[in-house]
Amino acid sequence: MTYETILVEQRDAVTLITLNRPQALNALNGQMLSDLSAAFAAYDADPTQHCAVLTGSEKAFAAGADIKEMVDKDGADFFLEDFFSGWQSKVVATRKPWIAAVAGFALGGGCELAMMADFIIAADTAKFGQPEIKLGVAPGMGGSQRLTRAVGKAKAMDMCLTGRMMGAEEAERSGLVSRIVPAAELLDDALKTAATIAAMPPMAAMVNKEMVNIAFETGLAQGLLTERRMFQILTATEDKKEGMTAFVEKRPGVWKGR
Ligand code: CAA
């Protein structure tokens, strides 16, 4: 499959997706949504692929939704197209794990896209922000919701109301990113991390992802019940039998993915 705005390659069981609109600092336009939707669907459907990494360039992960694509649209256009809805229904809907590897600008929709990942690994050059207020709007791809859940009200308000950028150190301190690595090591580190995840029992990886996400979408009692049920469901897999037997026999597990 060929794409206009992204590059996709497979490295063993890891799919690497690179945003590729350098002339626009990887601004997210309709074509990119369509390309990413297709790439994530292909990744989800490919039984040989077990983790993905989404990255951008050294200068920008993505500088936001494409302002030039939005400048001439009116309110009815945005409403009738249900603008931005595809990010939730196509990209967030990915069932297998994926990591965002962020260097440079991750602003507006770029920050929001990174927050759609299961977690973010940041280069020391990463800069996150929700500057939509400066354009007379507000986040529209989850920024006000996911940023607030990640960093809390005070910092999310600060970011959304001032439009300022947050560097990698502050992002790690605030819980937005899982760790910081030197920019030159970002891709290697993210690919190695993805390979570690890809070597896990695949259904267990999907269920772990789903369960952590449920923690953000439900109350504690319901979340704990769901967790217990998901645990019980996983015990019915062949990989559970293999994983526990392999532990007892002091050898690595060999996964069937079911
Ligand atoms: N949309 C469209 N084009 C963009 C863009 C965007 N979000 N961000 C950058 N570009 C383009 C610039 O227009 C420029 O193109 P031209 O050379 O053709 O003019 C090119 O990328 C390089 O950008 P700059 O010359 O501005 O680069 P810089 O290094 O001087 O500045 C920057 C970098 C600070 C990131 C600056 O580009 C910037 O502020 N970009 C916009 C950031 C922003 O407001 N993002 C939020 C968008 S709205 C949104 O995302 C809504 C939502 O919730 C989903």
Side-chain angles (χ1 to χ4, degrees):
M1 179 122 186
T2 52
Y3 301 100
E4 277 179 45
T5 62
I6 59 174
L7 304 170
V8 180
E9 58 186 289
Q10 294 186 348
R11 308 227 180 150
D12 298 321
V14 174
T15 299
L16 172 62
I17 305 173
T18 307
L19 303 174
N20 188 33
R21 291 189 73 212
Q23 73 286 4
L25 300 184
N26 291 331
L28 309 169
N29 62 4
Q31 186 59 47
M32 200 178 260
L33 170 58
S34 149
D35 286 348
L36 281 174
S37 301
F40 275 109
Y43 158 61
D44 243 1
D46 187 336
T48 70
Q49 297 299 291
H50 297 303
C51 193
V53 171
L54 177 68
T55 197
S57 70
E58 231 171 84
K59 178 163 182 187
F61 176 74
D66 191 320
I67 298 166
K68 292 167 189 167
E69 191 179 65
M70 297 188 289
V71 65
D72 291 326
K73 284 184 190 285
D74 66 19
D77 294 327
F78 286 104
F79 181 79
L80 293 171
E81 290 173 28
D82 200 4
F83 206 74
F84 293 148
S85 63
W87 293 97
Q88 185 65 26
S89 61
K90 307 282 191 196
V91 176
V92 177
T94 306
R95 294 182 71 201
K96 291 180 187 171
W98 63 279
I99 301 167
V102 175
F105 297 114
L107 302 178
C111 184
E112 294 167 301
L113 175 58
M115 290 191 291
M116 291 175 201
D118 298 318
F119 60 96
I120 302 172
I121 299 177
D124 47 12
T125 58
K127 289 183 251 343
F128 299 89
Q130 298 292 160
E132 288 90 342
I133 193 166
K134 296 180 186 171
L135 302 169
V137 288
M141 284 167 51
S144 63
Q145 305 304 299
R146 290 197 178 94
L147 186 67
T148 307
R149 281 166 172 74
V151 306
K153 177 179 169 180
K155 214 157 269 277
M157 281 289 191
D158 177 1
M159 303 294 294
C160 290
L161 289 174
T162 67
R164 77 172 173 89
M165 294 185 213
M166 183 193 269
E169 296 278 346
E170 186 181 2
E172 187 187 33
R173 208 166 57 235
S174 312
L176 179 58
V177 310
S178 73
R179 61 173 176 266
I180 307 174
V181 296
E185 291 164 29
L186 176 67
L187 194 55
D188 269 1
D189 192 279
L191 288 170
K192 259 188 217 143
T193 307
T196 302
I197 295 169
M200 298 295 171
M203 267 184 69
M206 291 169 75
V207 169
N208 272 276
K209 165 178 173 141
E210 199 169 5
M211 280 169 24
V212 174
N213 281 331
I214 284 171
F216 290 96
E217 281 155 23
T218 192
L220 183 60
Q222 185 59 45
L224 290 171
L225 175 63
T226 306
E227 180 191 80
R228 223 160 45 242
R229 293 286 177 260
M230 299 291 255
F231 172 86
Q232 291 158 2
I233 286 168
L234 277 179
T235 62
T237 62
E238 292 180 39
D239 282 348
K240 169 264 170 192
K241 195 165 192 301
E242 167 65 5
M244 294 197 181
T245 306
F247 176 83
V248 172
E249 293 176 356
K250 298 188 188 297
R251 59 168 177 83
V254 180
W255 312 122
K256 292 217 166 81
R258 51 189 307 115

